[in-house]
Amino acid sequence: MTHPDSRLFSSMTVGVCYYPEHWDEGLWESDLDRMLGAGVSVVRVAEFAWSIFEKTEGAFSFDFFDRFLALCQRKGMKVIFGTPTATPPAWLTRKYPEVLNARRDGVLLRHGGRKHYNYNSPIYLEKTRIIVTKLAMHYGQHPAIIGWQIDNELNCETDEFYSEADSAAFRVFLRNKYGTLDALNASWGTVFWSQTYTDWEEIFVPRPVAHVGINPHLELDYLRFISHSALSYCALQADILRAHIAPRMFITTNGLFAHMDNHKMTRESLDLYTYDSYPDFAFELAREGQLDRLRDRWSSMKLTEVRSICPHFGVMEQQSGPGGWYSRMEMPAPRPGQMLLWALQSAAHGADFVSFFRWRTCTFGTEIYWHGVLDYDNRDNRRLSELRAFTDAMKKLTPLCGASHPASFAVVRDYDNVFDAQIDQYHRRVTQQSEDAIFETAQLTHTPMDFVYLHEGISLQELKKYKALFMPHAVIMTKAYADALDAYVRDGGTLVIGCRSGYKDESGRCVMTPQPGLLSSLTGSDVRDFSFVSPAEETPVASWNGKTMPMPVFCDALDAREGAKVLARYETGIFAGAGALVEQTVGSGRALHLGSAFCAENTRMILDTLGLTAPFADQITVPEDVEIVPREKDGRRWLFVLNYQEKDMEITLHEEMHDVLEEKTLRGSVTLRPYGVKVLEVRSGS
Ligand code: GAL
């Protein structure tokens, strides 16, 4: 396969999601003409169309999509073809109910919605093999097709699996991992509460238990197992496609969902990762009154995660209309300009391909309120105008295709800790607090940030792109990850960790070495005592260089080991007088251990001290509520400047810049219209 970093699109490309099976065939031609007229060059189709291809078991028919693809070919429209496995037909689940997913209490999830299958049923795997092979053999050389989408949004809507097939596959997964029951029992600490297993058949995926949580080490392995199942399912389809389709076609899947290692899946099975961007979720009416400062700008955090998977990604579904289902979710229509803003937000963060969901709102089914570009009445509307404006913009952005994102620093994650934080609420609380605070601070101070995920084969090269790494709460620390971080620091990098670091091993068991465990020699810190901040007390503060620094959520009381120094001490709280921030120089870099979770104030103080904040401040001044996203390529630098407010925003350019979208030179004070976006080429010092 191609490395996901490869640049698949040679120019910025715009698509739409289209469902020929939802419309009278007489509409196809005018739909394609209108799309092409609006600058759309790609349609994604077929990802839910299994019952069109195989109406009854073994009765395959390709006529319908043959006709549609022939029309696409004639019109010059390119196609991304979906495998339809997200929606098994009624005949299949009726005849083989073992393919169904189940709730934790064992109740099967029936036909009538979607994503109701499990990844491990031998029959579903076989049925998948057959339908994907048939499609790949029939369409694998089709001139209109440029790429394939596997399934739809793996792990979306359902990211837990409790069928009998899952329990059987879980046992195989565990046998491969542990070899013997003794090893499994030791790793899961099953001596606690007499949970010891004496036969593999005694082991199940989590089932309802008395009011306490299930064994946490089992649960951690269970999340790894779900990830393994989803990745194997993706690989099964990718291998079939690769064996049959033309080498010029790419393989992708869409989404960014929990309980799976999206990075590994992309490395192992895909040529391109695509994401589905729905920023309107920030305005879901159910959340009225709970809007926070970043609102739809939070989507930039997701896009930042996606960029860590695939620097030049695609957006397979870009929100175009108000979202909603008849049964849940109610959203306002994007304000004038907002649909264009959201699409440019995706392009700013690294999408070279953006495809809108969907061409026209469906007039039937669950998603009658999930609006597309066009409304039910099929007339031209303001969203179509914004789609046109976007395709015009993307033409002008062609020099940025494949441009990189220069970040001042990165936040480090790894899937052991991602999964552990999903099951362990102590872990989750500090991680959510810190990652959100760091991201928000980076956004509001205009300090570009990346995510980077540790993995087995991570190289120093991948880490040393960043002057600083924040790894807020690596609760689980392994020797391999500690070594990678050590090499990074020795090489000149700065590592910043927070409280609750290094106290668990890979199984999620607590270690008996002083915290931060395997990181201690790097950070030079020693955790003598620790506690959540009690609701009965004020947030403790520390003093750092004469300034007051909040120490929120959870506090480690730190000592410095020999060679390290205490930079800040608690002034209030039960640990008053103890170390709050410890620094150690190692090789040509340094490590900092902050004894608490991160918040806006302490993150800002650290970023300022490290000289990372606002790298473009000499070139441009923008208000906090405007986002800046830098891109660089071939010695050129551009700044996307995005206004998320429904009002004018003033920005100041301290030097002459080229306004790429308006094609003119700007300097001095400039007004950003409500939801307006500027892409500015900086002439100096990239
Ligand atoms: C996505 C999904 C689409 C559509 C859309 C709007 O998650 O991939 O098929 O359902 O949401 O609900």
Side-chain angles (χ1 to χ4, degrees):
M1 67 167 252
T2 333
H3 187 271
D5 190 12
S6 70
R7 295 160 186 189
L8 275 170
F9 292 93
S10 53
S11 61
M12 303 296 261
T13 307
V14 182
V16 294
C17 302
Y18 189 61
Y19 299 89
E21 69 275 27
H22 294 176
W23 306 108
D24 188 289
E25 223 172 299
L27 272 176
W28 290 358
E29 183 156 3
S30 63
D31 280 344
L32 291 182
D33 286 342
R34 288 170 86 192
M35 290 173 199
L36 289 162
V40 169
S41 59
V42 177
V43 288
R44 184 214 42 192
V45 298
E47 80 278 12
F48 301 123
W50 194 333
S51 54
I52 305 259
F53 298 115
E54 193 180 4
K55 201 164 182 188
T56 54
E57 190 168 14
F60 293 97
S61 158
F62 303 103
D63 298 353
F64 185 88
F65 276 92
D66 284 355
R67 290 200 298 282
F68 180 71
L69 288 179
L71 186 63
C72 288
Q73 190 185 346
R74 187 152 62 76
K75 296 276 173 193
M77 179 66 86
K78 298 181 199 118
V79 175
I80 298 173
F81 205 86
T83 67
T85 48
T87 45
W91 59 258
L92 198 159
T93 52
R94 174 165 175 250
K95 182 163 177 195
Y96 308 107
E98 60 269 53
V99 308
L100 294 170
N101 190 9
R103 296 195 317 214
R104 189 178 278 224
D105 62 6
V107 171
L108 292 179
L109 304 179
R110 298 291 180 171
H111 189 86
R114 64 175 173 184
K115 306 292 286 184
H116 44 299
Y117 66 91
N118 69 68
Y119 295 125
N120 286 302
S121 143
I123 292 176
Y124 202 63
L125 299 182
E126 185 53 20
K127 290 293 175 197
T128 296
R129 250 181 233 117
I130 295 171
I131 187 72
V132 175
T133 308
K134 291 273 182 197
L135 291 172
M137 287 178 73
H138 189 82
Y139 292 119
Q141 309 298 319
H142 198 290
I145 296 181
I146 57 165
W148 291 73
Q149 175 187 301
I150 291 174
D151 199 278
N152 188 71
E153 297 191 334
L154 294 166
N155 276 11
C156 171
E157 282 150 23
T158 313
D159 58 13
E160 294 176 13
F161 297 83
Y162 302 107
S163 71
E164 284 179 20
D166 291 308
S167 278
F170 189 37
R171 288 175 203 126
V172 174
F173 173 84
L174 295 171
R175 267 178 194 259
N176 288 338
K177 175 164 181 170
Y178 292 109
T180 65
L181 273 178
D182 284 349
L184 177 142
N185 280 316
S187 174
W188 287 3
T190 52
V191 67
F192 184 80
W193 287 354
S194 202
Q195 292 171 354
T196 306
Y197 295 102
T198 56
D199 191 312
W200 292 98
E201 295 301 311
E202 291 161 4
I203 301 173
F204 293 85
V205 294
R207 295 183 297 178
V209 292
H211 63 96
V212 290
I214 209 158
N215 181 309
H217 318 292
L218 179 160
E219 254 202 289
L220 184 57
D221 270 341
Y222 171 64
L223 291 193
R224 292 175 175 137
F225 162 72
I226 294 180
S227 176
H228 167 81
S229 302
L231 267 59
S232 307
Y233 189 64
C234 181
L236 167 90
Q237 297 204 24
D239 289 349
I240 297 171
L241 291 174
R242 230 171 277 288
H244 296 286
I245 63 175
R248 65 178 173 79
M249 297 178 183
F250 61 81
I251 299 177
T252 186
T253 189
N254 57 331
L256 182 71
F257 296 98
H259 304 175
M260 57 189 285
D261 183 337
N262 288 290
H263 292 72
K264 188 166 181 224
M265 174 180 71
T266 306
R267 283 195 301 272
E268 288 179 352
S269 297
L270 307 179
D271 302 305
L272 169 74
Y273 190 81
T274 57
Y275 173 64
D276 297 344
S277 184
Y278 289 103
D280 211 15
F281 272 113
F283 301 99
E284 218 186 323
L285 300 181
R287 289 178 220 191
E288 241 175 351
Q290 298 170 41
L291 281 182
D292 58 13
R293 178 115 193 227
L294 291 189
R295 307 183 315 183
D296 44 339
R297 200 168 155 193
W298 277 115
S299 283
S300 295
M301 186 165 174
K302 286 286 177 197
L303 293 163
T304 301
E305 283 177 60
V306 173
R307 197 172 54 237
S308 77
I309 302 172
C310 189
H312 313 292
F313 55 91
V315 170
M316 192 62 87
E317 298 181 14
Q318 175 71 51
Q319 182 143 22
S320 60
W325 285 12
Y326 85 99
S327 53
R328 61 187 184 115
M329 301 187 285
E330 300 158 308
M331 295 178 204
R335 316 284 99 175
Q338 213 173 15
M339 169 187 162
L340 178 59
L341 164 76
W342 291 337
L344 285 166
Q345 179 184 25
S346 294
H349 280 277
D352 292 348
F353 164 63
V354 176
S355 159
F356 290 92
F357 185 86
R358 47 185 281 163
W359 173 243
R360 186 171 43 242
T361 316
C362 202
T363 55
F364 48 82
T366 303
E367 294 191 339
I368 48 176
Y369 304 128
W370 204 287
H371 298 270
V373 177
L374 298 181
D375 288 311
Y376 318 116
D377 64 17
N378 204 25
R379 288 183 289 185
D380 283 7
N381 61 9
R382 72 175 161 93
R383 299 201 294 273
L384 184 61
S385 312
E386 289 192 30
L387 167 62
R388 276 204 203 96
F390 181 63
T391 57
D392 286 348
M394 287 290 262
K395 274 188 212 121
K396 293 178 183 158
L397 293 178
T398 286
L400 283 82
C401 192
S404 59
H405 176 266
S408 292
F409 73 100
V411 169
V412 184
R413 286 180 175 166
D414 66 275
Y415 282 97
D416 287 325
N417 280 298
V418 168
F419 293 161
D420 192 64
Q422 273 157 12
I423 60 172
D424 176 339
Q425 56 176 350
Y426 274 59
H427 186 169
R428 185 163 59 243
R429 171 104 83 95
V430 288
T431 293
Q432 257 173 13
Q433 153 76 30
S434 293
E435 289 193 349
D436 287 357
I438 295 169
F439 181 77
E440 186 164 355
T441 306
Q443 279 287 320
L444 298 180
T445 61
H446 308 117
T447 306
M449 152 190 159
D450 274 352
F451 281 108
V452 62
Y453 283 66
L454 298 180
H455 59 93
E456 290 275 299
I458 192 141
S459 67
L460 180 57
Q461 233 32 48
E462 284 174 76
L463 298 180
K464 71 189 262 193
K465 284 200 291 210
Y466 303 104
K467 283 193 214 136
L469 297 177
F470 281 59
M471 193 167 193
H473 311 288
V475 164
I476 294 182
M477 185 45 60
T478 66
K479 173 93 174 52
Y481 293 163
D483 287 350
L485 296 170
D486 188 82
Y488 164 77
V489 171
R490 283 180 195 285
D491 190 67
T494 297
L495 173 69
V496 184
I497 69 165
C499 64
R500 308 304 278 156
S501 294
Y503 71 89
K504 285 186 182 177
D505 68 13
E506 230 177 308
S507 304
R509 297 163 53 120
C510 298
V511 296
M512 291 179 71
T513 40
Q515 296 171 31
L518 289 170
L519 289 176
S520 302
S521 58
L522 187 56
T523 57
S525 52
D526 185 354
V527 179
R528 285 284 171 179
D529 201 350
F530 52 81
S531 174
F532 263 120
V533 175
S534 161
E537 68 179 319
E538 300 269 306
T539 296
V541 297
S543 166
W544 186 18
N545 287 336
K547 290 195 190 133
T548 299
M549 175 168 70
M551 302 292 289
V553 186
F554 195 100
C555 296
D556 284 346
L558 302 176
D559 281 348
R561 293 165 200 263
E562 206 187 321
K565 54 179 189 255
V566 173
L567 295 184
R569 289 190 180 278
Y570 288 93
E571 290 208 313
T572 62
I574 50 166
F575 300 135
L581 180 66
V582 167
E583 180 191 54
Q584 180 168 248
T585 305
V586 180
S588 37
R590 60 180 156 164
L592 290 164
H593 182 163
L594 175 75
S596 69
F598 293 84
C599 61
E601 292 89 337
N602 62 27
T603 304
R604 178 73 202 253
M605 289 171 85
I606 295 171
L607 287 175
D608 286 351
T609 304
L610 299 179
L612 299 172
T613 322
F616 313 112
D618 290 345
Q619 295 164 325
I620 189 166
T621 303
V622 312
E624 284 188 343
D625 284 320
V626 167
E627 182 180 20
I628 297 183
V629 189
R631 301 292 297 281
E632 282 177 4
K633 187 178 153 189
D634 302 333
R636 298 168 73 179
R637 175 188 290 159
W638 299 267
L639 301 177
F640 282 76
V641 186
L642 303 108
N643 177 13
Y644 293 84
Q645 306 298 312
E646 198 167 11
K647 59 181 183 208
D648 287 353
M649 285 285 183
E650 298 303 318
I651 62 174
T652 309
L653 315 190
H654 304 300
E655 59 185 49
E656 216 167 71
M657 296 186 193
H658 179 64
D659 179 335
V660 178
L661 302 181
E662 303 272 323
E663 300 179 309
K664 61 183 184 201
T665 301
L666 296 179
R667 190 190 175 108
S669 180
V670 172
T671 303
L672 275 182
R673 308 291 303 146
Y675 304 113
V677 178
K678 293 241 170 266
V679 183
L680 302 168
E681 179 164 6
V682 181
R683 314 261 189 203
S684 69
S686 48

